[in-house]
Amino acid sequence: MSSNTILWITTFIMLGGGLLILVTGKRRTPTESLHTLLHGIVPIIAACSYLAMATGQGLVLLPTTDAVAAGAATPTRVFYFARYIDWTFTTPLLLVSLGLTAMRHVRKDYGAITGAVLADVMMIVTAFAFGASLQGWTKWTWFLVSCVAFLGVYYVIWKSQMEANAAERDDVRATYRRNAAILSVVWLVYPVILAVAPDGLGLVGDAASVLVIAILDTVAKVVYGYMAVVSDTKATDRDLAETPAGTTPLRRAA
């Protein structure tokens, strides 16, 4: 299967997944509505990115590291810059949703959520610099910086937000731990595939790397997003059942 075919297929999967989440997600409370919107818009943003790459607008040809070292203009590699634009928008949205899940009823630690988002954006921007770099030493310097920023994201997820989540009720704690684990494992594969893809060491071909990243994107944005919305619906069901008459879940979730 060619890279372009994979990009087109993923475009439609992302679009369909985003619409499915928006249509099936409920909006009985402001919190539930926000989660539905966040997880629904993420795959749609990704669909735009994949459409740009599939049509050739979201990629450029760059010389390989070996070609630059040899002073030649060829061979070239495909640099999919649109995926970094996608990640700059979508991963912060996933982190905001995860943070709000961790602190569903307790007081929100907006500093932790903001810290995770900023570290994430730094990770994506420096990963873009890694992919766009032509010289080996600058490329791997940016890769190292990106990995350090990635550790910052993990610190917030598993330290700061986990501590806040400890004060939540049992179902919210279980949901947060599951969601955090899924994102942590899936996201951990990204730097590995980027390192061995044509943008990095070139050990994996273009089509194979595009396929792996498309699968990761689908799991992180569509599968995970749908699961997160379903879990939020169940939590809202319990919120509504336990909310005393005359009050609203909005005040508890503020």
Side-chain angles (χ1 to χ4, degrees):
M1 187 181 298
S2 69
S3 299
N4 192 252
T5 300
I6 297 170
L7 294 172
W8 276 112
I9 292 174
T10 311
T11 298
F12 292 112
I13 291 176
M14 290 293 181
L15 178 60
L19 294 176
L20 175 65
I21 293 172
L22 289 176
V23 169
T24 59
K26 297 183 179 180
R27 298 171 175 81
R28 293 168 294 178
T29 68
T31 300
E32 189 177 45
S33 180
L34 179 59
H35 279 283
T36 296
L37 177 61
L38 289 176
H39 286 291
I41 198 64
V42 161
I44 293 178
I45 294 174
C48 294
S49 168
Y50 273 90
L51 176 62
M53 291 186 287
T55 57
Q57 295 177 311
L59 56 87
V60 294
L61 293 178
L62 295 177
T64 63
T65 301
D66 291 339
V68 173
T74 57
T76 59
R77 61 184 170 90
V78 181
F79 177 52
Y80 298 95
F81 66 86
R83 65 168 54 133
Y84 295 93
I85 299 175
D86 164 5
W87 295 340
T88 302
F89 287 97
T90 57
T91 53
L93 293 179
L94 291 174
L95 284 171
V96 168
S97 176
L98 183 64
L100 295 177
T101 297
M103 297 164 273
R104 184 180 182 87
H105 304 112
V106 300
R107 185 178 184 83
K108 306 293 188 296
D109 185 351
Y110 292 109
I113 297 176
T114 302
V117 169
L118 292 177
D120 177 69
V121 171
M122 180 178 178
M123 175 185 69
I124 302 302
V125 171
T126 51
F128 171 86
F130 154 77
S133 295
L134 302 181
Q135 298 292 341
W137 74 269
T138 53
K139 176 185 294 293
W140 295 107
T141 298
W142 284 123
F143 184 81
L144 178 61
V145 174
S146 181
C147 289
V148 171
F150 194 13
L151 292 177
V153 176
Y154 273 20
Y155 178 85
V156 175
I157 291 176
W158 292 104
K159 175 65 175 176
S160 304
Q161 292 182 173
M162 186 67 79
E163 291 177 349
N165 181 249
E168 280 286 356
R169 69 189 189 205
D170 56 350
D171 62 322
V172 177
R173 293 198 305 271
T175 295
Y176 176 73
R177 284 164 173 73
R178 184 204 66 188
N179 290 0
I182 292 174
L183 279 185
S184 295
V185 172
V186 172
W187 283 357
L188 187 61
V189 184
Y190 281 95
V192 176
I193 187 61
L194 289 175
V196 299
D199 286 352
L201 297 172
L203 302 178
V204 175
D206 181 73
S209 63
V210 168
L211 176 60
V212 172
I213 291 178
I215 293 173
L216 293 173
D217 279 347
T218 300
V219 173
K221 296 175 172 65
V222 177
V223 179
Y224 168 81
Y226 185 79
M227 291 175 57
V229 168
V230 170
S231 296
D232 186 72
T233 297
K234 293 180 180 178
T236 302
D237 288 340
R238 182 169 171 179
D239 287 343
L240 294 173
E242 296 178 354
T243 299
T247 62
T248 66
L250 171 63
R251 296 188 181 279
R252 297 182 60 201

